[in-house]
PDB file of all heavy atoms in Angstrom:
ATOM      1  N   ALA O  21      -7.194-204.164  67.263  1.00 73.00           N
ATOM      2  CA  ALA O  21      -7.766-203.897  68.632  1.00 73.00           C
ATOM      3  C   ALA O  21      -6.728-203.611  69.677  1.00 73.00           C
ATOM      4  O   ALA O  21      -6.955-203.002  70.725  1.00 73.00           O
ATOM      5  CB  ALA O  21      -8.455-205.262  68.956  1.00 73.00           C
ATOM      6  N   ARG O  22      -5.483-203.975  69.371  1.00 77.00           N
ATOM      7  CA  ARG O  22      -4.366-203.667  70.292  1.00 77.00           C
ATOM      8  C   ARG O  22      -3.604-202.341  69.833  1.00 77.00           C
ATOM      9  O   ARG O  22      -2.621-201.974  70.416  1.00 77.00           O
ATOM     10  CB  ARG O  22      -3.337-204.752  70.193  1.00 77.00           C
ATOM     11  CG  ARG O  22      -3.934-206.062  70.973  1.00 77.00           C
ATOM     12  CD  ARG O  22      -2.804-207.159  71.132  1.00 77.00           C
ATOM     13  NE  ARG O  22      -1.783-207.095  70.200  1.00 77.00           N
ATOM     14  CZ  ARG O  22      -1.570-208.084  69.305  1.00 77.00           C
ATOM     15  NH1 ARG O  22      -2.347-209.098  69.184  1.00 77.00           N
ATOM     16  NH2 ARG O  22      -0.554-208.042  68.421  1.00 77.00           N
ATOM     17  N   GLY O  23      -4.095-201.782  68.696  1.00 72.00           N
ATOM     18  CA  GLY O  23      -3.459-200.446  68.320  1.00 72.00           C
ATOM     19  C   GLY O  23      -2.346-200.627  67.486  1.00 72.00           C
ATOM     20  O   GLY O  23      -1.523-199.692  67.300  1.00 72.00           O
ATOM     21  N   THR O  24      -2.054-201.848  66.846  1.00 76.00           N
ATOM     22  CA  THR O  24      -0.916-201.998  65.922  1.00 76.00           C
ATOM     23  C   THR O  24      -1.368-202.225  64.519  1.00 76.00           C
ATOM     24  O   THR O  24      -2.510-202.608  64.250  1.00 76.00           O
ATOM     25  CB  THR O  24       0.016-203.164  66.383  1.00 76.00           C
ATOM     26  OG1 THR O  24       1.084-203.199  65.579  1.00 76.00           O
ATOM     27  CG2 THR O  24      -0.810-204.465  66.329  1.00 76.00           C
ATOM     28  N   THR O  25      -0.620-201.764  63.587  1.00 76.00           N
ATOM     29  CA  THR O  25      -0.944-201.842  62.094  1.00 76.00           C
ATOM     30  C   THR O  25      -0.094-202.912  61.467  1.00 76.00           C
ATOM     31  O   THR O  25       0.069-202.825  60.247  1.00 76.00           O
ATOM     32  CB  THR O  25      -0.800-200.518  61.496  1.00 76.00           C
ATOM     33  OG1 THR O  25       0.453-199.947  61.615  1.00 76.00           O
ATOM     34  CG2 THR O  25      -1.972-199.592  62.003  1.00 76.00           C
ATOM     35  N   SER O  26       0.786-203.682  62.163  1.00 80.00           N
ATOM     36  CA  SER O  26       1.680-204.564  61.451  1.00 80.00           C
ATOM     37  C   SER O  26       1.455-205.990  62.161  1.00 80.00           C
ATOM     38  O   SER O  26       1.132-206.121  63.327  1.00 80.00           O
ATOM     39  CB  SER O  26       3.082-204.067  61.523  1.00 80.00           C
ATOM     40  OG  SER O  26       3.521-203.846  62.846  1.00 80.00           O
ATOM     41  N   TRP O  27       1.976-207.022  61.377  1.00 83.00           N
ATOM     42  CA  TRP O  27       1.989-208.470  61.946  1.00 83.00           C
ATOM     43  C   TRP O  27       3.088-209.153  61.266  1.00 83.00           C
ATOM     44  O   TRP O  27       3.810-208.717  60.369  1.00 83.00           O
ATOM     45  CB  TRP O  27       0.652-209.006  61.597  1.00 83.00           C
ATOM     46  CG  TRP O  27       0.556-209.505  60.174  1.00 83.00           C
ATOM     47  CD1 TRP O  27       0.913-210.567  59.561  1.00 83.00           C
ATOM     48  CD2 TRP O  27       0.031-208.563  59.025  1.00 83.00           C
ATOM     49  NE1 TRP O  27       0.511-210.554  58.184  1.00 83.00           N
ATOM     50  CE2 TRP O  27       0.190-209.208  57.824  1.00 83.00           C
ATOM     51  CE3 TRP O  27      -0.306-207.208  59.113  1.00 83.00           C
ATOM     52  CZ2 TRP O  27      -0.186-208.742  56.679  1.00 83.00           C
ATOM     53  CZ3 TRP O  27      -0.758-206.652  57.861  1.00 83.00           C
ATOM     54  CH2 TRP O  27      -0.696-207.415  56.697  1.00 83.00           C
ATOM     55  N   GLN O  28       3.403-210.261  61.942  1.00 86.00           N
ATOM     56  CA  GLN O  28       4.670-211.205  61.410  1.00 86.00           C
ATOM     57  C   GLN O  28       3.959-212.329  60.756  1.00 86.00           C
ATOM     58  O   GLN O  28       3.127-212.975  61.491  1.00 86.00           O
ATOM     59  CB  GLN O  28       5.452-211.551  62.643  1.00 86.00           C
ATOM     60  CG  GLN O  28       6.621-212.062  62.083  1.00 86.00           C
ATOM     61  CD  GLN O  28       7.772-212.308  63.191  1.00 86.00           C
ATOM     62  OE1 GLN O  28       7.366-212.209  64.431  1.00 86.00           O
ATOM     63  NE2 GLN O  28       9.012-212.547  62.901  1.00 86.00           N
ATOM     64  N   CYS O  29       4.277-212.657  59.508  1.00 85.00           N
ATOM     65  CA  CYS O  29       3.803-213.782  58.804  1.00 85.00           C
ATOM     66  C   CYS O  29       4.515-215.003  59.275  1.00 85.00           C
ATOM     67  O   CYS O  29       5.446-214.960  60.069  1.00 85.00           O
ATOM     68  CB  CYS O  29       3.936-213.619  57.350  1.00 85.00           C
ATOM     69  SG  CYS O  29       5.614-213.887  56.696  1.00 85.00           S
ATOM     70  N   GLY O  30       3.992-216.168  58.806  1.00 83.00           N
ATOM     71  CA  GLY O  30       4.516-217.503  59.147  1.00 83.00           C
ATOM     72  C   GLY O  30       5.975-217.610  58.733  1.00 83.00           C
ATOM     73  O   GLY O  30       6.719-218.399  59.210  1.00 83.00           O
ATOM     74  N   ASP O  31       6.398-216.931  57.687  1.00 87.00           N
ATOM     75  CA  ASP O  31       7.784-216.949  57.210  1.00 87.00           C
ATOM     76  C   ASP O  31       8.811-215.979  58.096  1.00 87.00           C
ATOM     77  O   ASP O  31       9.910-215.919  57.749  1.00 87.00           O
ATOM     78  CB  ASP O  31       7.911-216.556  55.763  1.00 87.00           C
ATOM     79  CG  ASP O  31       7.397-217.692  54.903  1.00 87.00           C
ATOM     80  OD1 ASP O  31       7.243-218.793  55.309  1.00 87.00           O
ATOM     81  OD2 ASP O  31       7.197-217.345  53.640  1.00 87.00           O
ATOM     82  N   GLY O  32       8.056-215.267  58.937  1.00 88.00           N
ATOM     83  CA  GLY O  32       8.936-214.416  59.808  1.00 88.00           C
ATOM     84  C   GLY O  32       9.065-212.921  59.287  1.00 88.00           C
ATOM     85  O   GLY O  32       9.796-212.150  59.918  1.00 88.00           O
ATOM     86  N   HIS O  33       8.421-212.574  58.217  1.00 87.00           N
ATOM     87  CA  HIS O  33       8.396-211.178  57.753  1.00 87.00           C
ATOM     88  C   HIS O  33       7.467-210.308  58.436  1.00 87.00           C
ATOM     89  O   HIS O  33       6.439-210.758  58.819  1.00 87.00           O
ATOM     90  CB  HIS O  33       7.970-211.083  56.173  1.00 87.00           C
ATOM     91  CG  HIS O  33       8.812-212.070  55.393  1.00 87.00           C
ATOM     92  ND1 HIS O  33       8.279-212.995  54.614  1.00 87.00           N
ATOM     93  CD2 HIS O  33      10.151-212.069  54.972  1.00 87.00           C
ATOM     94  CE1 HIS O  33       9.248-213.587  53.852  1.00 87.00           C
ATOM     95  NE2 HIS O  33      10.343-212.978  54.145  1.00 87.00           N
ATOM     96  N   TRP O  34       7.822-208.978  58.547  1.00 85.00           N
ATOM     97  CA  TRP O  34       6.961-208.071  59.191  1.00 85.00           C
ATOM     98  C   TRP O  34       6.209-207.354  58.079  1.00 85.00           C
ATOM     99  O   TRP O  34       6.787-206.916  57.033  1.00 85.00           O
ATOM    100  CB  TRP O  34       7.667-206.904  60.111  1.00 85.00           C
ATOM    101  CG  TRP O  34       7.964-207.624  61.418  1.00 85.00           C
ATOM    102  CD1 TRP O  34       9.134-208.162  61.833  1.00 85.00           C
ATOM    103  CD2 TRP O  34       7.098-207.707  62.430  1.00 85.00           C
ATOM    104  NE1 TRP O  34       8.992-208.595  63.101  1.00 85.00           N
ATOM    105  CE2 TRP O  34       7.815-208.486  63.514  1.00 85.00           C
ATOM    106  CE3 TRP O  34       5.724-207.375  62.709  1.00 85.00           C
ATOM    107  CZ2 TRP O  34       7.182-208.675  64.707  1.00 85.00           C
ATOM    108  CZ3 TRP O  34       5.178-207.633  63.910  1.00 85.00           C
ATOM    109  CH2 TRP O  34       5.852-208.317  64.914  1.00 85.00           C
ATOM    110  N   ASN O  35       4.951-207.252  58.159  1.00 83.00           N
ATOM    111  CA  ASN O  35       3.904-206.614  57.237  1.00 83.00           C
ATOM    112  C   ASN O  35       3.193-205.564  57.789  1.00 83.00           C
ATOM    113  O   ASN O  35       2.952-205.549  58.987  1.00 83.00           O
ATOM    114  CB  ASN O  35       3.100-207.717  56.545  1.00 83.00           C
ATOM    115  CG  ASN O  35       3.925-208.722  55.917  1.00 83.00           C
ATOM    116  OD1 ASN O  35       4.196-208.677  54.779  1.00 83.00           O
ATOM    117  ND2 ASN O  35       4.200-209.861  56.497  1.00 83.00           N
ATOM    118  N   SER O  36       2.695-204.623  57.025  1.00 78.00           N
ATOM    119  CA  SER O  36       1.933-203.524  57.553  1.00 78.00           C
ATOM    120  C   SER O  36       0.743-203.216  56.672  1.00 78.00           C
ATOM    121  O   SER O  36       0.866-203.403  55.512  1.00 78.00           O
ATOM    122  CB  SER O  36       2.806-202.241  57.664  1.00 78.00           C
ATOM    123  OG  SER O  36       2.119-201.114  58.161  1.00 78.00           O
ATOM    124  N   VAL O  37      -0.264-202.700  57.190  1.00 76.00           N
ATOM    125  CA  VAL O  37      -1.444-202.338  56.325  1.00 76.00           C
ATOM    126  C   VAL O  37      -1.255-200.851  55.921  1.00 76.00           C
ATOM    127  O   VAL O  37      -2.151-200.377  55.156  1.00 76.00           O
ATOM    128  CB  VAL O  37      -2.761-202.509  57.109  1.00 76.00           C
ATOM    129  CG1 VAL O  37      -3.072-203.942  57.321  1.00 76.00           C
ATOM    130  CG2 VAL O  37      -2.866-201.687  58.410  1.00 76.00           C
ATOM    131  N   LEU O  38      -0.301-200.104  56.523  1.00 71.00           N
ATOM    132  CA  LEU O  38      -0.167-198.753  56.182  1.00 71.00           C
ATOM    133  C   LEU O  38       1.228-198.526  55.530  1.00 71.00           C
ATOM    134  O   LEU O  38       2.146-199.453  55.701  1.00 71.00           O
ATOM    135  CB  LEU O  38      -0.036-197.971  57.385  1.00 71.00           C
ATOM    136  CG  LEU O  38      -1.344-197.752  58.181  1.00 71.00           C
ATOM    137  CD1 LEU O  38      -1.203-196.925  59.376  1.00 71.00           C
ATOM    138  CD2 LEU O  38      -2.364-197.006  57.212  1.00 71.00           C
ATOM    139  N   PRO O  39       1.372-197.486  54.724  1.00 71.00           N
ATOM    140  CA  PRO O  39       2.661-197.137  54.248  1.00 71.00           C
ATOM    141  C   PRO O  39       3.649-196.958  55.434  1.00 71.00           C
ATOM    142  O   PRO O  39       3.256-196.623  56.498  1.00 71.00           O
ATOM    143  CB  PRO O  39       2.459-195.896  53.514  1.00 71.00           C
ATOM    144  CG  PRO O  39       1.145-195.761  53.288  1.00 71.00           C
ATOM    145  CD  PRO O  39       0.356-196.483  54.256  1.00 71.00           C
ATOM    146  N   SER O  40       4.869-197.005  55.166  1.00 71.00           N
ATOM    147  CA  SER O  40       5.882-196.848  56.230  1.00 71.00           C
ATOM    148  C   SER O  40       5.939-195.247  56.574  1.00 71.00           C
ATOM    149  O   SER O  40       5.382-194.370  55.842  1.00 71.00           O
ATOM    150  CB  SER O  40       7.366-197.175  55.683  1.00 71.00           C
ATOM    151  OG  SER O  40       7.702-196.257  54.716  1.00 71.00           O
ATOM    152  N   PRO O  41       6.452-194.904  57.691  1.00 78.00           N
ATOM    153  CA  PRO O  41       6.505-193.514  58.145  1.00 78.00           C
ATOM    154  C   PRO O  41       7.374-192.734  56.949  1.00 78.00           C
ATOM    155  O   PRO O  41       6.934-191.591  56.735  1.00 78.00           O
ATOM    156  CB  PRO O  41       7.238-193.585  59.438  1.00 78.00           C
ATOM    157  CG  PRO O  41       6.997-194.816  60.018  1.00 78.00           C
ATOM    158  CD  PRO O  41       6.915-195.782  58.805  1.00 78.00           C
ATOM    159  N   GLU O  42       8.249-193.376  56.406  1.00 81.00           N
ATOM    160  CA  GLU O  42       8.928-192.652  55.345  1.00 81.00           C
ATOM    161  C   GLU O  42       8.092-192.488  54.123  1.00 81.00           C
ATOM    162  O   GLU O  42       8.156-191.291  53.526  1.00 81.00           O
ATOM    163  CB  GLU O  42      10.146-193.493  54.843  1.00 81.00           C
ATOM    164  CG  GLU O  42      11.307-193.672  55.912  1.00 81.00           C
ATOM    165  CD  GLU O  42      10.976-194.739  57.000  1.00 81.00           C
ATOM    166  OE1 GLU O  42      10.068-195.741  56.665  1.00 81.00           O
ATOM    167  OE2 GLU O  42      11.691-194.727  57.999  1.00 81.00           O
ATOM    168  N   ASP O  43       7.243-193.358  53.857  1.00 75.00           N
ATOM    169  CA  ASP O  43       6.205-193.107  52.714  1.00 75.00           C
ATOM    170  C   ASP O  43       5.310-192.015  53.081  1.00 75.00           C
ATOM    171  O   ASP O  43       5.025-191.142  52.161  1.00 75.00           O
ATOM    172  CB  ASP O  43       5.547-194.460  52.384  1.00 75.00           C
ATOM    173  CG  ASP O  43       6.331-195.516  51.756  1.00 75.00           C
ATOM    174  OD1 ASP O  43       7.325-195.132  51.094  1.00 75.00           O
ATOM    175  OD2 ASP O  43       5.958-196.630  51.790  1.00 75.00           O
TER     176      ASP O  43
END
Side-chain angles (χ1 to χ4, degrees):
R22 293 191 327 250
T24 184
T25 58
S26 58
W27 73 95
Q28 192 170 17
C29 76
D31 289 344
H33 303 120
W34 280 99
N35 297 276
S36 177
V37 296
L38 289 178
S40 68
E42 294 82 17
D43 289 339

